[in-house]
Amino acid sequence: MTETENNITILGIESSCDETAAAVVRNGREVLSNVISSQIDIHTVYGGVVPEIASRLHCENINGVIRLALKEAGLGFDGIDVIAVTKGPGLVGALLVGVSEAKALAWALHKPLVGVHHIEGHIAANYITHADLEPPYVCLVVSGGHTHLAVIRGYREFELVGRTMDDAAGETFDKVARAVGLGYPGGPKVDRASREGDPHAIEFPRGEVRDHPYDFTFSGLKSAVLNYINMAQMKGEEINTADLCASFQKAVVESLVSRTIRCAESFGIRKVAIAGGVSANSTLRESMREACEAKGMECLYPEPVYCTDNAAMIASAAYFEYLDGVRDDAFLNAEPNLKLGN
Ligand code: KG4
Ligand code: ZN
């Protein structure tokens, strides 16, 4: 397939944390392949991601993952128009594996190179699942390292209106899961345990940031959960893990949903999307949908496989960058602390 204005096939590469991923996506929305090699089993032994191990595993796996992504797409390198890669934010050693690989491929194959912001990739995951989605819309991005509320004005125009003051939503899930002995990664385990629990069993606080209606705070909630566990242990009382998880999850979800709806209402936007690993959470999806329906707003979320880290979302975001003329070169570097909109 050769490049024409309306037919651009992008090989996306993602290695910012603990997934080595490659995908082939046509025109930003049509996924031809999406290969993810997860390192979760190995990091689980240590209770979290070990950066040095993550980098080494990316090195071991990246060529095989790319080869498989091309094979599943039924294409060779000659069928690829653009090489895209996550440039940040993330773990620097992990990012460097993908960035170096992408630079080498682009240089050897004489293909254009586009470095992508990981969070912009998460947002773009919605373009894959919702073929007709166009800006403007409000997007809540909730991942392991970020909690952002943004007004998406255009495919490349992000107005960051809210953020967490302390822990990210996913990080809070992971810490609570560890405290109740569910292990890593916490989000999916808390989600599963909650299904058997009563969300009204324990009243946990919903943190508000005074004078900042779109900002989030989860440290008070996290402390309240840890205090609850300590008190129970001191009194020799058994903890009902399912009730604790369900009550905690309800508190997080209510904070996320209330601010997102408030933002959409104040900005006069009637389309709400969620993205990032925590957007796979069943209660968040359900509550956001219900809240949107009550306000007559449209609610969108990616298929679960495109919520957590993947390379299809990177190739999708890269498409809009590429159309806008973005081209990187051999000086592209990993940027571990990249901010949204940079
Ligand atoms: O977006 P992501 O895959 O990686 C980052 O960019 O950080 O997000 C990972 C985060 C982890 O904290 C994980 O516990 C959380 O997303 N997560 C969930 C669920 N699935 C993943 N949190 C709540 N419920 C889930 N079902
Ligand atoms: Zn991510």
Coordinates of all heavy atoms in Angstrom, one line a residue, residues 16-19 118-119 122 142-146 169-174 184-192 195 249 275-282 307-310 313, ligand 1:
S16 N 6.4 2.4 27.0 CA 6.6 3.4 28.1 C 6.6 2.8 29.5 O 7.2 3.4 30.4 CB 5.6 4.5 28.0 OG 4.3 3.9 28.3
C17 N 6.0 1.6 29.7 CA 6.0 1.0 31.0 C 6.2 -0.5 31.0 O 7.3 -0.9 30.7 CB 4.6 1.4 31.7 SG 4.6 1.0 33.4
D18 N 5.2 -1.3 31.2 CA 5.5 -2.7 31.3 C 4.8 -3.5 30.2 O 4.6 -4.7 30.3 CB 5.1 -3.3 32.7 CG 3.6 -3.0 33.0 OD1 2.9 -2.2 32.3 OD2 3.1 -3.6 34.0
E19 N 4.4 -2.9 29.1 CA 3.9 -3.6 27.9 C 4.8 -3.3 26.7 O 5.0 -2.1 26.4 CB 2.4 -3.2 27.5 CG 1.5 -2.8 28.7 CD 0.9 -4.0 29.3 OE1 1.2 -5.2 28.9 OE2 0.2 -3.9 30.3
H118 N 2.2 9.8 25.1 CA 1.5 8.6 25.6 C 0.0 8.9 25.9 O -0.9 8.2 25.6 CB 2.2 8.0 26.8 CG 1.6 6.8 27.3 ND1 1.8 5.5 26.7 CD2 0.8 6.5 28.4 CE1 1.1 4.6 27.3 NE2 0.5 5.2 28.4
I119 N -0.2 10.1 26.6 CA -1.6 10.4 27.1 C -2.4 10.8 25.8 O -3.6 10.5 25.8 CB -1.5 11.6 28.1 CG1 -0.7 11.2 29.3 CG2 -2.9 12.0 28.4 CD1 -1.3 10.0 30.1
H122 N -3.6 7.6 24.6 CA -4.8 7.1 25.3 C -6.1 7.8 24.8 O -7.1 7.1 24.6 CB -4.6 7.3 26.8 CG -3.9 6.2 27.5 ND1 -4.3 4.9 27.5 CD2 -2.7 6.3 28.3 CE1 -3.4 4.2 28.2 NE2 -2.5 5.0 28.6
V142 N -7.6 8.6 32.8 CA -7.2 8.0 34.1 C -6.3 6.8 33.9 O -6.8 5.7 33.4 CB -8.5 7.6 34.8 CG1 -9.0 8.7 35.7 CG2 -9.6 7.1 33.9
S143 N -5.0 6.9 34.2 CA -4.1 5.8 34.0 C -3.3 5.6 35.3 O -3.7 6.1 36.3 CB -3.1 6.2 32.8 OG -2.3 7.2 33.3
G144 N -2.3 4.8 35.2 CA -1.5 4.5 36.4 C -0.7 5.7 36.9 O -0.5 5.9 38.1
G145 N -0.3 6.6 36.0 CA 0.5 7.7 36.4 C -0.2 9.1 36.2 O 0.3 10.1 36.7
H146 N -1.4 9.1 35.6 CA -2.0 10.4 35.3 C -3.5 10.4 35.6 O -4.2 9.4 35.3 CB -1.8 10.8 33.8 CG -0.4 11.0 33.5 ND1 0.4 9.9 33.2 CD2 0.4 12.1 33.4 CE1 1.7 10.4 33.0 NE2 1.6 11.7 33.1
A169 N -5.4 8.1 39.7 CA -6.5 7.2 40.1 C -6.0 5.8 40.0 O -6.2 5.0 41.0 CB -7.6 7.4 39.1
G170 N -5.2 5.4 39.0 CA -4.8 4.0 38.9 C -3.8 3.6 40.0 O -3.8 2.5 40.6
E171 N -3.0 4.6 40.4 CA -2.0 4.4 41.4 C -2.7 4.2 42.7 O -2.3 3.3 43.6 CB -1.2 5.8 41.5 CG 0.0 5.8 42.3 CD 0.6 7.2 42.3 OE1 0.1 8.1 41.5 OE2 1.6 7.4 43.1
T172 N -3.8 4.9 43.0 CA -4.6 4.7 44.2 C -5.2 3.3 44.2 O -5.2 2.6 45.2 CB -5.8 5.7 44.2 OG1 -5.2 7.0 43.9 CG2 -6.4 5.8 45.6
F173 N -5.7 2.8 43.1 CA -6.3 1.4 42.9 C -5.1 0.5 43.3 O -5.3 -0.5 44.1 CB -6.7 1.2 41.5 CG -8.2 1.4 41.3 CD1 -8.6 2.6 40.7 CD2 -9.2 0.5 41.6 CE1 -10.0 2.9 40.5 CE2 -10.5 0.8 41.4 CZ -10.9 2.0 40.9
D174 N -3.9 0.7 42.8 CA -2.8 -0.2 43.0 C -2.4 -0.3 44.4 O -2.1 -1.3 45.0 CB -1.6 0.1 42.1 CG -2.0 -0.1 40.6 OD1 -2.9 -0.9 40.3 OD2 -1.4 0.6 39.7
Y184 N -0.5 -7.0 42.6 CA -0.3 -6.1 41.5 C -0.8 -6.9 40.2 O -0.6 -8.1 40.1 CB 1.2 -5.8 41.3 CG 1.5 -5.1 40.1 CD1 1.4 -3.7 39.9 CD2 2.0 -5.9 39.0 CE1 1.8 -3.1 38.7 CE2 2.4 -5.3 37.8 CZ 2.2 -3.9 37.7 OH 2.5 -3.3 36.5
P185 N -1.4 -6.2 39.2 CA -1.8 -4.9 39.2 C -3.2 -4.7 39.9 O -4.1 -5.6 39.7 CB -1.9 -4.6 37.7 CG -2.2 -5.9 37.1 CD -1.6 -6.9 38.0
G186 N -3.3 -3.7 40.6 CA -4.5 -3.6 41.5 C -5.8 -3.3 40.9 O -6.8 -3.9 41.3
G187 N -5.8 -2.5 39.9 CA -7.1 -2.0 39.3 C -8.1 -3.2 38.9 O -9.2 -3.2 39.5
P188 N -7.6 -4.1 38.1 CA -8.5 -5.1 37.6 C -8.9 -6.0 38.8 O -10.1 -6.5 38.8 CB -7.7 -5.9 36.6 CG -6.6 -5.1 36.2 CD -6.3 -4.1 37.3
K189 N -8.1 -6.2 39.8 CA -8.4 -7.1 40.9 C -9.4 -6.4 41.9 O -10.3 -7.1 42.3 CB -7.1 -7.4 41.7 CG -6.2 -8.3 40.9 CD -5.0 -8.8 41.6 CE -4.3 -9.8 40.7 NZ -3.0 -10.1 41.1
V190 N -9.3 -5.1 42.1 CA -10.3 -4.4 42.9 C -11.6 -4.4 42.2 O -12.7 -4.6 42.8 CB -9.8 -2.9 43.2 CG1 -10.9 -2.1 43.8 CG2 -8.6 -2.9 44.1
D191 N -11.6 -4.2 40.9 CA -12.8 -4.2 40.0 C -13.5 -5.5 40.2 O -14.7 -5.6 40.5 CB -12.3 -4.0 38.5 CG -13.5 -3.6 37.6 OD1 -14.6 -3.6 38.1 OD2 -13.2 -3.4 36.4
R192 N -12.7 -6.6 40.1 CA -13.3 -8.0 40.2 C -13.9 -8.2 41.6 O -15.0 -8.7 41.8 CB -12.3 -9.0 39.8 CG -12.9 -10.2 39.1 CD -11.8 -11.1 38.5 NE -11.0 -10.5 37.6 CZ -9.6 -10.4 37.6 NH1 -9.0 -11.0 38.6 NH2 -8.9 -9.8 36.7
R195 N -17.3 -6.7 42.6 CA -18.6 -7.2 42.1 C -19.3 -8.0 43.2 O -20.5 -8.1 43.2 CB -18.3 -8.1 40.9 CG -17.9 -7.3 39.7 CD -17.7 -8.0 38.4 NE -16.9 -7.1 37.6 CZ -16.0 -7.5 36.7 NH1 -15.7 -8.7 36.6 NH2 -15.4 -6.6 36.0
Q249 N -14.0 1.8 45.6 CA -14.2 2.0 44.1 C -15.3 3.1 43.9 O -15.2 3.9 43.0 CB -14.5 0.7 43.5 CG -14.6 0.8 42.0 CD -14.6 -0.6 41.3 OE1 -13.6 -1.2 41.1 NE2 -15.8 -1.1 41.0
A275 N -10.6 7.5 29.0 CA -9.5 6.9 28.4 C -8.5 6.5 29.5 O -8.5 7.0 30.6 CB -8.8 7.8 27.4
G276 N -7.5 5.6 29.1 CA -6.5 5.1 30.1 C -6.9 3.9 30.8 O -8.1 3.5 30.8
G277 N -6.0 3.2 31.5 CA -6.2 1.9 32.1 C -7.4 1.9 33.0 O -8.2 0.9 32.9
V278 N -7.6 2.9 33.8 CA -8.8 2.9 34.7 C -10.1 3.0 34.0 O -11.2 2.6 34.5 CB -8.6 4.0 35.8 CG1 -9.8 4.0 36.8 CG2 -7.3 3.9 36.5
S279 N -10.1 3.5 32.7 CA -11.4 3.5 32.0 C -11.9 2.1 31.6 O -13.0 2.0 31.1 CB -11.2 4.4 30.7 OG -10.4 3.8 29.8
A280 N -11.1 1.1 31.9 CA -11.6 -0.3 31.7 C -12.4 -0.7 32.9 O -13.1 -1.7 32.9 CB -10.4 -1.3 31.6
N281 N -12.5 0.1 34.0 CA -13.2 -0.2 35.2 C -14.7 -0.3 35.0 O -15.3 0.7 34.5 CB -12.9 0.8 36.3 CG -13.5 0.5 37.6 OD1 -14.6 0.9 37.9 ND2 -12.8 -0.3 38.4
S282 N -15.3 -1.4 35.4 CA -16.7 -1.6 35.0 C -17.6 -0.5 35.7 O -18.6 -0.1 35.1 CB -17.1 -3.0 35.4 OG -16.8 -3.3 36.7
C307 N -8.0 0.4 26.3 CA -7.9 1.3 27.5 C -6.6 1.2 28.1 O -5.9 2.2 28.4 CB -9.0 0.8 28.5 SG -10.7 1.2 28.1
T308 N -6.1 0.0 28.3 CA -4.7 -0.2 28.9 C -3.7 0.0 27.8 O -4.1 0.1 26.6 CB -4.6 -1.6 29.6 OG1 -5.2 -2.5 28.7 CG2 -5.4 -1.6 30.9
D309 N -2.4 0.0 28.2 CA -1.4 0.4 27.2 C -1.4 -0.5 26.0 O -1.4 -1.8 26.1 CB 0.0 0.4 27.9 CG 0.1 1.5 28.8 OD1 -0.7 2.4 28.8 OD2 1.1 1.5 29.6
N310 N -1.3 0.1 24.8 CA -1.3 -0.6 23.5 C -0.7 0.3 22.5 O -0.5 1.5 22.7 CB -2.7 -1.0 23.1 CG -3.6 0.2 22.8 OD1 -3.6 0.6 21.7 ND2 -4.3 0.7 23.8
M313 N -3.3 2.7 19.8 CA -3.6 4.1 20.2 C -2.5 5.1 19.8 O -2.8 6.2 19.4 CB -4.0 4.2 21.7 CG -2.8 4.0 22.6 SD -3.2 4.0 24.3 CE -1.6 4.2 25.1
Ligands
KG4_1 O1 -3.0 3.3 31.0 P1 -2.3 2.2 31.7 O2 -2.4 0.8 31.1 O3 -0.8 2.5 32.0 C1 -0.4 3.8 32.3 O4 -0.2 4.6 31.3 O5 -0.2 4.1 33.5 O6 -3.0 2.2 33.2 C2 -2.6 1.2 34.1 C3 -3.4 1.5 35.4 C4 -3.0 0.7 36.6 O7 -2.9 1.5 37.7 C5 -4.1 -0.4 36.7 O8 -4.3 -0.8 38.0 C6 -5.3 0.4 36.2 O9 -4.8 1.2 35.1 N1 -6.4 -0.4 35.7 C7 -7.7 -0.4 36.3 C8 -8.4 -1.4 35.6 N2 -7.6 -2.0 34.6 C9 -6.4 -1.3 34.7 N3 -8.1 0.3 37.3 C10 -9.4 0.0 37.7 N4 -10.2 -0.9 37.1 C11 -9.7 -1.6 36.1 N5 -10.5 -2.6 35.5

